[in-house]
Amino acid sequence: RSKTLAGSSYRIFAPEMDALAQRAQELEYELRTALKRNEFELNYQPLVDSQTRKITGYEALLRWNNLKFGPVSPGEFVPIAERSGMIAGIGEWVLHQACMDAAGWPNDIHIAVNLSPHQLNGFSLLAVLPRALGESGLLARRLELEITETALEGDPEHIIDMLHSIREMGISIALDDFGTGYSSLSHLVRFPFDKLKIDRSFVSEAMVSAEAMTIVRAIVSLAHNLKVRTTAEGVETEEQFGTLAEMGIDEIQGYLIARPLPADRLDHAQNRFDAAGFNATA
Ligand code: C2E
Ligand code: MG
Ligand code: MG
Ligand code: MG
């Protein structure tokens, strides 16, 4: 590639990159005081049993509403919090808040909390978890932690130790976003997971591609042989729901059922929905 081309593309893209980098830097600055200023909130999205359509649990999804920037999506700020080392503090707040909220829900409803890969480094999580359970009074068996495959890239011995220690507390572990990036079936065999969450991109692909459908079937069958439960994420249509339920996927999560909602807007008894979803009557 010629110097001229590289030079001209640099001039074209540099101002935009600067703007993005500057926004990231300003968001990082704002993040430093976000906990103190109470700018975080958890929303909860239900998971339903694919056969009975009853709510089995909720996933806690972090929301940040900043004074200066307004709502910022976790897709944008979580990576910044990870890079700058702030995810540990934020993640601890999420665990405490989610356990406090869930402690007030019916006993058969679980709560799933997303973990950042950094939270599996070291051993501090093994102190944070009993504290969150103890202070909220939530039973360990009602707590589930979601980790992505990125978290498995570190020292496998340490990660396996951590996962076993967590499960010994009675907490369960889900592998999140399966089917994106570097998904590997061997992860299911190697690491002690209780649940596998099939990513939204895989769910939608399976509806249009017979090949993807075959892969999803194989994944579900392997998971069940390993006694690992399965959830499909990002289910938006009745057609998807029907196909996934027929395949034997245990749980369904997605906008078809409900969008993530603040804790005070949840209706645990709601086990009925039509093609327009729960929100149609809300
Ligand atoms: P995730 O854990 O895979 O969460 C599912 C994401 O899909 C959520 O996005 C949810 O709102 C969205 N979603 C659910 N159903 C549908 C659907 O039917 N259609 C579509 N288009 N989207 C759907 P959200 O809330 O923006 O979160 C994005 C990601 O940010 C999460 O992906 C998770 O990786 C991360 N995240 C969220 N909260 C936390 C947290 O407390 N800690 C950490 N470490 N990460 C978090
Ligand atoms: Mg998740
Ligand atoms: Mg997910
Ligand atoms: Mg996902």
Side-chain angles (χ1 to χ4, degrees), residues 245-268:
E246 184 269 325
M247 273 184 181
I249 288 189
D250 302 294
E251 281 177 334
I252 303 287
Q253 178 181 10
Y255 291 172
L256 174 70
I257 316 298
R259 289 185 181 252
L261 290 168
D264 59 5
R265 292 194 44 209
L266 304 180
D267 180 359
H268 311 295

Side-chain angles (χ1 to χ4, degrees), residues 163-199:
L163 298 184
H164 279 300
S165 302
I166 291 166
R167 291 179 88 226
E168 272 161 25
M169 293 177 194
I171 298 166
S172 58
I173 299 165
L175 179 57
D176 202 1
D177 296 344
F178 195 81
T180 59
Y182 313 98
S183 290
S184 164
L185 288 175
S186 70
H187 287 157
L188 270 190
V189 184
R190 231 171 130 208
F191 297 91
F193 292 113
D194 300 282
K195 185 187 280 184
L196 175 71
K197 297 188 77 176
I198 299 171
D199 192 67

Side-chain angles (χ1 to χ4, degrees), residues 37-144:
R37 282 180 288 141
N38 242 329
E39 292 186 340
F40 291 117
E41 186 192 18
L42 289 181
N43 278 1
Y44 295 97
Q45 187 180 32
L47 289 86
V48 299
D49 182 297
S50 69
Q51 304 308 311
T52 64
R53 299 196 173 203
K54 285 196 169 135
I55 295 175
T56 55
Y58 292 91
E59 177 175 1
L61 293 159
L62 185 56
R63 297 292 175 259
W64 180 29
N65 196 353
N66 177 252
L67 203 58
K68 183 170 167 193
F69 288 93
V72 184
S73 83
E76 184 172 20
F77 73 79
V78 167
I80 297 173
E82 279 170 357
R83 278 202 302 274
S84 55
M86 286 184 274
I87 199 67
I90 296 170
E92 190 168 343
W93 178 87
V94 169
L95 271 166
H96 273 266
Q97 189 60 45
C99 290
M100 293 296 275
D101 286 337
W105 300 344
N107 264 317
D108 55 346
I109 289 183
H110 76 261
I111 174 71
V113 174
N114 290 286
L115 279 195
S116 162
H118 284 74
Q119 289 175 279
L120 285 174
N121 292 345
F123 296 95
S124 59
L125 186 66
L126 301 183
V128 169
L129 288 170
R131 234 177 11 242
L133 292 173
E135 283 165 18
S136 62
L138 187 78
L139 291 174
R141 63 165 171 79
R142 294 180 57 198
L143 177 60
E144 182 169 85

